[in-house]
């Protein structure tokens, strides 16, 4: 992969300002943000689709980091309790087959465990309970990192 993305973490808030209501902007002082990882691909999100994208990128040779906003993966299914296949629907391989197997339903625990195992097996590093707060761009305006 050509360019690499940097994942950074803002660990402390250096100062807080009380602003009048009419203020249109806030000026922040320059500061160094520690680099947590240097990767080819950053996936922001913890849905089953995010896990599928992260594992596919890793299997294609990219170094991948996934940032999940919840303390578990699969929020699109486990968080909504949408853990079944519709009548006539079949798990089409990959993660879906791992989650459902021969069944038409899954448990939240099995879903979460399967998604965690898929990332680990693909060599994807990941963090739970993280929110991306900014996208860093290089001088040409291309994304080059995220702040979590």
């Amino acid at each position: 992969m050509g360019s690499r993305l940097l994942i950074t973490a803002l660990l402390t808030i250096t100062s807080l300002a009380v602003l009048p209501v009419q203020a249109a902007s806030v000026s922040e002082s320059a500061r160094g943000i520690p680099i947590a990882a240097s990767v080819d691909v950053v996936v922001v999100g913890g849905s089953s689709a995010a896990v599928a994208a992260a594992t596919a990128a890793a299997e294609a040779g990219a170094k991948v980091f996934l940032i999940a906003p919840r303390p578990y993966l699969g929020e699109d299914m486990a968080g909504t309790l949408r853990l079944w296949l519709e009548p006539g629907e079949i798990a089409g391989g990959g993660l879906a087959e791992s989650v459902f197997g021969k069944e038409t339903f899954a448990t939240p625990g099995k879903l979460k465990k399967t998604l965690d195992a898929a990332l680990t097996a693909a060599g994807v590093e990941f963090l739970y309970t993280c929110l991306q707060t900014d996208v860093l761009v290089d001088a040409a305006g291309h994304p080059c990192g995220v702040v979590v």
Side-chain angles (χ1 to χ4, degrees):
M1 298 247 142
S3 62
R4 296 177 69 81
L5 294 174
L6 300 177
I7 299 171
T8 59
L10 180 59
L11 300 177
T12 60
I13 297 174
T14 55
S15 65
L16 297 174
V18 177
L19 300 173
V21 175
Q22 70 272 16
S25 66
V26 176
S27 296
E28 291 188 49
S29 61
R31 63 183 149 223
I33 301 174
I35 296 172
S38 179
V39 298
D40 301 310
V41 176
V42 176
V43 176
V44 178
S47 68
S48 54
V51 173
T55 56
E59 289 166 359
K63 184 173 179 185
V64 183
F65 201 101
L66 182 137
I67 301 163
R70 303 221 185 273
Y72 59 89
L73 298 170
E75 72 251 13
D76 56 326
M77 294 173 65
T80 62
L81 296 178
R82 170 54 170 96
L83 296 162
W84 64 89
L85 297 173
E86 296 295 334
E89 187 178 16
I90 55 173
L95 283 175
E97 189 172 333
S98 297
V99 170
F100 292 105
K102 304 274 186 221
E103 302 293 328
T104 58
F105 63 91
T107 64
K110 182 178 180 184
L111 171 69
K112 296 170 190 177
K113 183 177 178 182
T114 301
L115 297 179
D116 284 358
L119 289 179
T120 302
V124 175
E125 294 182 64
F126 57 100
L127 287 175
Y128 295 123
T129 320
C130 290
L131 297 174
Q132 172 238 326
T133 60
D134 200 3
V135 175
L136 305 175
V137 295
D138 62 18
H142 300 115
C144 64
V146 295
V147 177
V148 296

